Amino acid sequence: MTFLFRTSFRKQGLLIPVLNAVRGMSTGSPTPPFTTLSISRPADTITHVEFCRPEKRNAMNKAFWSEMVDCFNQIAEDKECRVVVFSGAGKIFTAGIDLMDMAGDIMQPEGDDTARISWNLRQIIVKYQESFSVIEKCPKPVIVAIHGACIGGGVDLITASDIRLCTQDAWFQVKEVDIGLAADVGTLQRLPKVIGNRSLVNELALTARKMYADEAKSCGLVSRVFPDKETMMAGALEMAGEIASRSPVAVQGTKINLIFSRDHSVQESLNYMATWNMSMLQTHDLMKSAQAAMEKKSLKDIIFSKL
């Protein structure tokens, strides 16, 4: 797969300063064939996916849900990409679902009777769930960078990501009860496992109150808070570069096993890990990494084969 709008950039050697690379990450418009997403390459092994509907506060319309699946399925197969950074264009990360655009699917599903209407509505819900599950299924780590508001579906999206960063002005809201429904595309399933505090999750989901950056950091929803978006994007890019410099066998295996262990017992996860590494330990990357450590070389100087 070849994405458009690629730029080149070297970490630590810095042919182009990090901030200059950050300023070039936003194209200002979607990347064809997508209509809601802009795809760029701030570095050879890093893919930047930007939610690009700033004039609609990045509200999630019908096209967005299918384009997310197409985009991340392509990324999963892209041997060049080792890490993904996801962000939102414009003033906020996302206002959540685009109610005007989605009303037909949700309020008037097809069907002649209750059974058929319910069957079709279930298929729609499962389809929308996949739009964020595809982030979790993608073997490449996904760093999500949040600024301003992250409402409703935005919380579903970020809880499916691997690493969450935000700006000091960011705030989060599980908004669904305010519009008459229970969040149904991932928040109620993933948020309790992300922050590990059932009481807080229940409070957020049942009251739809806003959570601001400092509380998000203290409860574990995000791991870092930055003063502004530009600094955050630079931090996300630097972190992505650190991850991308490691063995892709090790990195992708780590993500897959972390997710497996979240949903299984310790013993089941240990068994899965043993089966995983009985083949993955035979990689040349292990010897290369060990040799670099013994010679006190940076992993950024080691060339790992594509995966």
Side-chain angles (χ1 to χ4, degrees):
M1 174 195 64
T2 300
F3 281 124
L4 303 179
F5 299 104
R6 293 190 180 185
T7 58
S8 63
F9 154 82
R10 271 184 211 170
K11 307 150 300 274
Q12 300 301 319
L14 291 189
L15 292 178
I16 304 173
V18 172
L19 286 177
N20 285 345
V22 168
R23 294 184 186 112
M25 287 172 76
S26 178
T27 66
S29 59
T31 305
F34 301 121
T35 62
T36 66
L37 302 174
S38 172
I39 315 299
S40 61
R41 270 276 167 76
D44 291 340
T45 53
I46 301 170
T47 298
H48 177 220
V49 180
E50 183 180 51
F51 191 5
C52 202
R53 295 189 78 214
E55 74 286 353
K56 297 292 187 180
R57 301 198 305 159
N58 293 331
M60 299 172 176
N61 62 354
K62 289 181 183 178
F64 168 81
W65 299 90
S66 60
E67 289 181 4
M68 282 289 290
V69 175
D70 292 342
C71 177
F72 276 89
N73 281 339
Q74 290 180 46
I75 288 172
E77 298 297 323
D78 182 4
K79 295 184 183 297
E80 300 287 342
C81 174
R82 296 186 183 181
V83 187
V84 181
V85 175
F86 189 101
S87 67
K91 295 182 179 180
I92 68 170
F93 182 72
T94 179
I97 190 172
D98 188 332
L99 286 171
M100 296 298 292
D101 190 73
M102 303 289 292
D105 281 355
I106 298 172
M107 304 297 293
Q108 297 175 320
E110 296 181 0
D112 297 331
D113 58 20
T114 300
R116 287 166 177 81
I117 292 171
S118 299
W119 185 268
N120 290 329
L121 189 54
R122 185 183 192 280
Q123 289 182 310
I124 291 170
I125 295 168
V126 170
K127 177 183 175 182
Y128 292 159
Q129 288 174 343
E130 182 64 14
S131 299
F132 300 139
S133 293
V134 74
I135 298 173
E136 198 170 77
K137 293 175 183 177
C138 177
K140 322 298 172 69
V142 179
I143 302 169
V144 62
I146 306 131
H147 73 290
C150 178
I151 302 170
V155 179
D156 296 291
L157 188 157
I158 69 169
T159 52
S161 303
D162 301 295
I163 299 172
R164 290 166 292 277
L165 313 176
C166 78
T167 56
Q168 189 62 56
D169 70 348
W171 53 274
F172 308 83
Q173 187 176 25
V174 184
K175 183 71 171 173
E176 282 80 357
V177 292
D178 277 355
I179 58 173
L181 57 90
D184 56 1
V185 291
T187 289
L188 302 186
Q189 293 70 37
R190 294 188 177 100
L191 187 59
K193 296 181 179 181
V194 168
I195 66 178
N197 184 330
R198 278 279 175 178
S199 178
L200 179 57
V201 170
N202 293 346
E203 178 190 342
L204 293 170
L206 294 170
T207 67
R209 76 164 175 87
K210 297 178 181 178
M211 171 189 279
Y212 294 93
D214 289 343
E215 184 180 5
K217 172 69 162 57
S218 66
C219 77
L221 179 59
V222 301
S223 53
R224 296 190 192 180
V225 178
F226 295 84
D228 53 56
K229 184 179 180 182
E230 185 174 73
T231 308
M232 174 183 64
M233 294 306 297
L237 192 57
E238 181 180 6
M239 183 182 296
E242 289 294 329
I243 295 170
S245 70
R246 271 64 181 178
S247 158
V249 174
V251 168
Q252 294 182 40
T254 295
K255 172 173 178 172
I256 290 167
N257 277 276
L258 281 170
I259 292 173
F260 186 92
S261 67
R262 180 198 65 188
D263 299 330
H264 296 79
S265 70
V266 172
Q267 189 56 54
E268 288 172 325
S269 300
L270 286 171
N271 289 338
Y272 187 80
M273 186 77 252
T275 302
W276 184 273
N277 261 3
M278 73 183 188
S279 57
M280 294 300 128
L281 285 177
Q282 299 179 62
T283 176
H284 295 304
D285 294 9
L286 183 61
M287 184 61 69
K288 289 181 179 180
S289 299
Q291 186 173 350
M294 290 187 291
E295 295 176 358
K296 297 184 179 180
K297 289 183 178 179
S298 170
L299 288 175
K300 293 182 175 64
D301 299 324
I302 307 302
I303 297 176
F304 295 108
S305 299
K306 299 173 186 177
L307 183 61

